[in-house]
Amino acid sequence: MFNSILLDELSRHMGSRVLIVTDNYEGEGILMSIVGDLIVLHETEGYGNETTAVNIPVDGINFVRILSTTV
């Protein structure tokens, strides 16, 4: 039940910069999509435009912080 509530809330923040923490991962980036029970986060590396897509399973998330929202 919690997973569906989290997915519903995160779907309202697509395109926002977020911080996602699991037991073995901490990453900041743009929330790009939700595919099934996976969240796709695009991390920006350094000052360049290089991004890395990271798939994060919803059931492994400890917390999410919304850093900035889209207008």
Side-chain angles (χ1 to χ4, degrees):
M1 181 173 158
F2 175 75
N3 288 356
S4 64
I5 294 170
L6 179 60
L7 289 173
D8 287 343
E9 184 60 31
L10 288 176
S11 68
R12 295 184 186 107
H13 295 283
M14 289 295 175
S16 298
R17 180 166 288 283
V18 297
L19 170 68
I20 297 179
V21 176
T22 68
D23 288 342
N24 57 3
Y25 171 80
E26 180 176 338
E28 180 180 326
I30 304 297
L31 180 61
M32 295 307 290
S33 64
I34 297 171
V35 180
D37 286 339
L38 291 176
I39 294 173
V40 180
L41 181 71
H42 278 209
E43 293 183 324
T44 302
E45 298 178 8
Y47 293 104
N49 293 328
E50 296 179 31
T51 60
T52 302
V54 179
N55 297 320
I56 304 166
V58 174
D59 59 354
I61 294 175
N62 293 333
F63 76 86
V64 176
R65 180 175 291 150
I66 308 298
L67 301 174
S68 65
T69 59
T70 59
V71 177

